[in-house]
Amino acid sequence: MLVIQLKSLQREFVKKLEFRCGQKEAFKFKNDNTFVKILETVREDDVFVVQTTMPPVDERIMELLITVDALKRASAKRITAVLPYYPYSRSDKKDQPRIPITAKLLADMLVTAGVDRVLTCDLHNPAIQGFMNIPSDQLKAKDILISYFKPIAQSGNVTVVATDAGSSKKAYKYAEELGTSIAMIDKRREGNDDRAIATHVIGEVKDNVCIIFDDEIDTGGSILETINVLKQNGATKIYAACTHGILSGPAIERVKNSNVEELVITNTVPLPPEKRIDKIRVLDISPLFGQAILKIYNGEGVGDLFEDKKMEF
Ligand code: R5P
């Protein structure tokens, strides 16, 4: 087995996986084209290419595709793209005229480049797995987040809050496992910009500690709106949690200045030092990826790493 890491910031993530890292060189020609060379033989190897996708996202996707092409042409036996965060996933349907479905486009590009299998985590929409005509495994950060919030949930009067109707099914699972009540925010987006508007709370949050769960926090607009609405409706303490802390643009300032007690994220997307603030706690998800990679390599089932023991939505 060979694990190849791409770009520097994810070294921490790959290092924690505790696998030997394959050597490669990558650089840009003066004309901005990327060149990749694998520096050891990969003939008949089971190769896992780990690509975390923080900005510059397009550049990282291109480097991944070029690396996979190089591995394929070097006779690797099987290539698994490990994408802790699957980028371009928020465009997953054609709900306006003349727009792309980038989640599907990326799936096609991975297959065209030569990817045989994808290992990812908490897709924005689980249907994205169906966009790939190759095997894919979707890990879930739920158990890691549940373990963290269990002691808080046991303190009583806790409500799990879904940021919108789309995330309510997931929130049900969290509430069920934490043994809390549930509430949902009526959230709308206007146009294609990043602005989210939260208006009402459906459910009871007055005098309650609220824990907001989302799949990702990007600009922090949705979470900020949610926090404000919960506060206006009498929540005492508010925690927020998500798998993918993208935290782009104004997100850090928004979190810093908000009424949130703590924002808990995982390291599917590395948090650069300049974005680390006291209010943000990062949980390490790399052991879960490490287990999945080993199981895939050994031809074992990975279902027990993401299967919901109770109801499935
Ligand atoms: C939306 O559908 C997602 O679940 C997240 O709520 C969204 O990606 C967060 O984006 P932002 O932080 O920019 O509001």
Side-chain angles (χ1 to χ4, degrees):
M1 173 180 31
L2 194 69
V3 176
I4 293 204
Q5 60 175 8
L6 302 178
K7 290 280 186 240
S8 57
L9 251 176
Q10 69 229 29
R11 273 196 196 121
E12 199 186 334
F13 188 92
V14 176
K15 210 166 79 198
K16 287 181 182 161
L17 292 177
E18 291 180 353
F19 296 129
R20 183 182 71 84
C21 270
Q23 297 302 308
K24 68 154 182 62
E25 67 171 339
F27 63 85
K28 278 196 171 208
F29 292 112
K30 291 209 171 43
N31 64 3
D32 205 39
N33 293 9
T34 297
F35 178 79
V36 173
K37 180 173 180 177
I38 312 296
L39 297 178
E40 57 192 279
T41 181
V42 291
R43 196 169 287 268
E44 292 304 312
D45 254 337
D46 197 359
V47 185
F48 293 81
V49 187
V50 183
Q51 179 60 296
T52 45
T53 41
M54 63 284 188
V57 177
D58 293 355
E59 203 167 292
R60 292 183 201 283
I61 292 172
M62 204 58 208
E63 188 185 346
L64 170 67
L65 298 173
I66 294 169
T67 303
V68 170
D69 186 70
L71 289 165
K72 198 84 197 167
R73 293 174 196 284
S75 306
K77 185 174 70 192
R78 179 173 65 172
I79 302 166
T80 302
V82 182
L83 293 166
Y85 171 66
Y86 188 95
Y88 280 102
S89 56
R90 280 164 70 185
S91 292
D92 59 357
K93 56 187 161 311
K94 195 156 184 271
D95 54 0
Q96 300 170 45
R98 301 175 298 283
I99 60 163
I101 303 181
T102 50
K104 166 71 174 143
L105 176 65
L106 179 61
D108 288 345
M109 291 191 322
L110 293 171
V111 174
T112 301
V115 169
D116 299 298
R117 170 180 280 277
V118 170
L119 175 63
T120 187
C121 183
D122 284 333
L123 288 163
H124 181 60
N125 174 358
I128 292 170
Q129 267 187 302
F131 296 175
M132 307 174 210
N133 288 332
I134 50 173
S136 60
D137 294 302
Q138 184 195 182
L139 300 175
K140 292 179 182 166
K142 179 167 65 68
D143 290 349
I144 296 170
L145 295 172
I146 294 274
S147 302
Y148 183 78
F149 281 105
K150 204 115 213 180
I152 295 168
Q154 279 161 355
S155 62
N157 281 355
V158 176
T159 303
V160 161
V161 181
T163 50
D164 56 21
S167 60
S168 62
K169 286 179 177 175
K170 254 187 209 159
Y172 270 121
K173 288 186 197 169
Y174 280 94
E176 199 195 27
E177 290 197 28
L178 287 171
T180 70
S181 59
I182 183 162
M184 192 188 93
I185 303 295
D186 180 10
K187 183 186 90 174
R188 316 274 161 99
R189 277 192 193 276
E190 287 189 343
N192 291 321
D193 63 17
D194 293 321
R195 223 163 80 79
I197 301 165
T199 46
H200 304 98
V201 183
I202 302 164
E204 193 49 65
V205 297
K206 193 169 168 16
D207 298 327
N208 275 16
V209 172
C210 290
I211 311 174
I212 310 162
F213 288 106
D214 210 341
D215 60 331
E216 66 171 64
I217 295 177
D218 181 7
T219 63
S222 307
I223 216 77
L224 186 68
E225 288 271 325
T226 305
I227 292 164
N228 290 342
V229 171
L230 292 175
K231 207 68 198 168
Q232 283 156 20
N233 281 268
T236 49
K237 264 188 186 175
I238 303 165
Y239 294 88
C242 70
T243 307
H244 312 295
I246 316 291
L247 302 174
S248 65
I252 296 295
E253 278 307 302
R254 282 174 166 168
V255 172
K256 205 190 278 176
N257 300 325
S258 75
N259 278 312
V260 78
E261 207 67 29
E262 191 172 43
L263 166 62
V264 182
I265 62 175
T266 78
N267 54 352
T268 54
V269 179
L271 192 66
E274 68 275 13
K275 290 189 177 178
R276 292 183 193 160
I277 57 171
D278 289 347
K279 273 187 175 181
I280 299 180
R281 179 179 294 268
V282 183
L283 305 182
D284 185 16
I285 201 170
S286 56
L288 185 64
F289 273 89
Q291 285 178 61
I293 289 174
L294 259 187
K295 280 170 175 274
I296 292 168
Y297 174 66
N298 291 325
E300 295 167 10
V302 297
D304 58 319
L305 298 181
F306 58 79
E307 215 166 29
D308 278 308
K309 309 290 176 284
K310 294 175 185 160
M311 55 189 163
E312 186 53 80
F313 290 94

